[in-house]
Amino acid sequence: MADTPPQAKAKAPAEPAERGRTTIADGVVEKIAGLAARDVLGVHAMGSGLSRTFGAVRDRVPGGGKAVTRGVKAEVGEVQTALDLEIVVDYGVAIAGVARAVRENVIAAVERMTGLEVVEVNIAVTDVKLPDEGEDEEEAEPRIQ
């Protein structure tokens, strides 16, 4: 009895989920991570002082909207992603605890929503929000009337 030649064997069609490729843009992962980080108690804002200043100006421009990705940078590959976050914490919180909670929340949200493996989440604490600081010190009193 001879084996059937390989070219004569019928190839089973691929499952529908395997017919094609899905790519996820860096910006998508940045938005997910930014929202997840902001959900953590003790995170006052995202981004460095300079990016927050530019963001405040952009927020005032009609149609500018809030930048959810401010303070978040993602590198996305085919199956993995790495993230860098800049956060501002509230005065009095345990920074290491906030960083750990941010890391856990971001990893859980990104992996659940994208299916990508998060290989690292680097967090830079760029500032501490003091209780007596206003939201925007520049807006405290107008210079001209």
Side-chain angles (χ1 to χ4, degrees), residues 46-58:
M46 300 287 297
S48 65
L50 186 60
S51 70
R52 289 194 331 267
T53 300
F54 284 128
V57 171
R58 184 178 43 243

Side-chain angles (χ1 to χ4, degrees), residues 31-42:
K31 282 183 180 182
I32 294 167
L35 290 171
R38 284 174 175 81
D39 282 345
V40 174
L41 189 63

Side-chain angles (χ1 to χ4, degrees), residues 3-4 7 17 20 32 51 61 63 66 82 86-87 113 115 128 132:
D3 285 337
T4 308
Q7 62 269 28
I32 294 167
S51 70
V61 174
K66 291 209 177 263
E86 293 180 337
I87 65 172
M113 293 181 71
V128 174
D132 58 348

Side-chain angles (χ1 to χ4, degrees), residues 64-77:
K66 291 209 177 263
V68 177
T69 61
R70 185 182 309 143
V72 183
K73 177 67 179 132
E75 293 179 35
V76 179

